[in-house]
């Protein structure tokens, strides 16, 4: 496991027994490589250069710049993210928790809890990612159904019933070696193009 720790300046100014970045680093090092960085730009640069499994964010206050870091990370290189903050803006916290893939630990995160927190975060991340994938799949299925319905209506306007229109689309898709959704999209594009050309005359 490769871990990245972002420790902002405010967090490290107030050392607390069992809540020290060096101890966090030693704990995570038992599972693999660990890097500790202190600025958001360093974190983003390192994330572009290397693959990491876990990002631990240690901050005195959760604010919009950290929210931006989290959102960009999830958009480009989804990974387990644990945020430990001593204070936070409620709207920022709500927005980062909306995706369901972030584990937030308020106040103090003691070293003896870190391993179990990371394990919990991995379970949470995997479950939320699976749900997101299922939603994407459902969205794609709905999109395909809508395309097929529109294409069938176009074919039915030529005097065919729905069953025959479906068969025609199926045959065309098989002949061209494309999916029904792709065939439907092609038919819709051709009709739309001819409609635009007719209007332009």
């Amino acid at each position: 496991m490769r871990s990245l720790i972002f420790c902002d300046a405010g967090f490290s100014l107030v050392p607390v027994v069992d809540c020290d970045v060096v101890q966090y680093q030693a704990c995570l090092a038992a599972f693999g490589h660990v890097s500790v960085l202190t600025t958001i730009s360093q974190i983003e640069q390192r994330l572009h250069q290397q693959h990491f499994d876990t990002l631990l964010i240690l901050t005195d206050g959760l604010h919009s710049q950290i929210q931006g870091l989290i959102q960009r990370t999830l958009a480009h290189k989804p990974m387990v993210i644990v945020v430990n903050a001593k204070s936070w803006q409620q709207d920022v916290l709500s927005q980062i928790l909306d995706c369901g893939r972030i584990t937030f630990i308020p106040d103090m995160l003691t070293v003896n809890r870190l391993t179990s927190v990371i394990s919990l975060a991995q379970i949470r991340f995997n479950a939320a990612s699976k749900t997101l994938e299922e939603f994407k799949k459902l969205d794609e299925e709905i999109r395909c159904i809508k395309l097929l319905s529109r294409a069938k209506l176009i074919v039915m306007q030529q005097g065919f019933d729905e069953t025959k229109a479906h068969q025609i689309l199926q045959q065309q898709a098989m002949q061209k070696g494309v999916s029904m959704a792709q065939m439907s999209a092609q038919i819709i594009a051709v009709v739309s193009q001819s409609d635009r050309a007719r209007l332009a005359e």
Side-chain angles (χ1 to χ4, degrees):
M1 180 174 87
R2 292 180 62 85
S3 301
L4 195 51
I5 298 176
F6 166 57
C7 181
D8 73 12
F11 187 92
S12 52
L13 282 177
V14 190
V16 177
V17 177
D18 291 333
C19 299
D20 180 77
V21 68
V22 175
Q23 292 175 311
Y24 294 136
Q25 185 177 7
C27 180
L28 290 177
F31 302 100
H33 177 78
V34 183
S35 296
V36 179
L37 300 170
T38 55
T39 68
I40 289 175
S41 60
Q42 288 174 334
I43 290 286
E44 293 194 298
Q45 186 178 9
R46 187 65 64 89
L47 286 172
H48 284 296
Q49 293 169 345
Q50 295 174 322
H51 167 78
F52 290 90
D53 305 294
T54 305
L55 172 60
L56 174 60
I57 296 174
L58 306 170
T59 182
D60 186 52
L62 180 59
H63 48 75
S64 56
Q65 286 86 359
I66 292 175
Q67 176 190 1
L69 167 67
I70 291 167
Q71 289 171 335
R72 290 188 296 275
T73 301
L74 288 176
H76 295 100
K77 290 190 174 181
M79 68 177 70
V80 174
I81 299 177
V82 176
V83 180
N84 177 217
K86 297 169 189 170
S87 64
W88 53 89
Q89 297 171 7
Q90 194 59 45
D91 60 327
V92 172
L93 179 59
S94 296
Q95 288 177 28
I96 67 165
L97 293 180
D98 269 352
C99 71
R101 295 192 283 181
I102 306 300
T103 298
F104 177 72
I105 308 297
D107 302 319
M108 298 299 172
L109 170 61
T110 57
V111 172
N112 60 2
R113 287 178 57 213
L114 184 57
T115 304
S116 56
V117 165
I118 295 291
S119 297
L120 173 66
Q122 287 172 329
I123 293 166
R124 182 181 173 88
F125 176 82
N126 292 337
S129 296
K130 184 179 175 185
T131 301
L132 286 172
E133 283 303 313
E134 287 168 359
F135 277 134
K136 283 181 190 173
K137 190 177 173 185
L138 284 172
D139 280 345
E140 181 61 19
E141 286 173 8
I142 290 167
R143 188 188 73 84
C144 292
I145 289 167
K146 286 180 179 178
L147 283 173
L148 183 57
S149 296
R150 282 182 63 194
K152 276 200 276 191
L153 282 173
I154 291 167
V155 176
M156 287 166 71
Q157 287 170 354
Q158 309 302 312
F160 300 103
D161 65 18
E162 188 179 356
T163 305
K164 185 62 180 172
H166 188 87
Q167 288 174 348
I168 289 168
L169 287 169
Q170 223 170 12
Q171 288 169 351
Q172 289 290 315
M174 286 174 67
Q175 285 172 6
K176 294 191 175 184
V178 295
S179 69
M180 289 282 280
Q182 290 170 319
M183 190 69 245
S184 299
Q186 287 176 18
I187 289 169
I188 292 164
V190 167
V191 170
S192 297
Q193 193 174 14
S194 65
D195 286 348
R196 281 195 300 272
R198 221 178 6 256
L199 287 169
E201 287 174 357

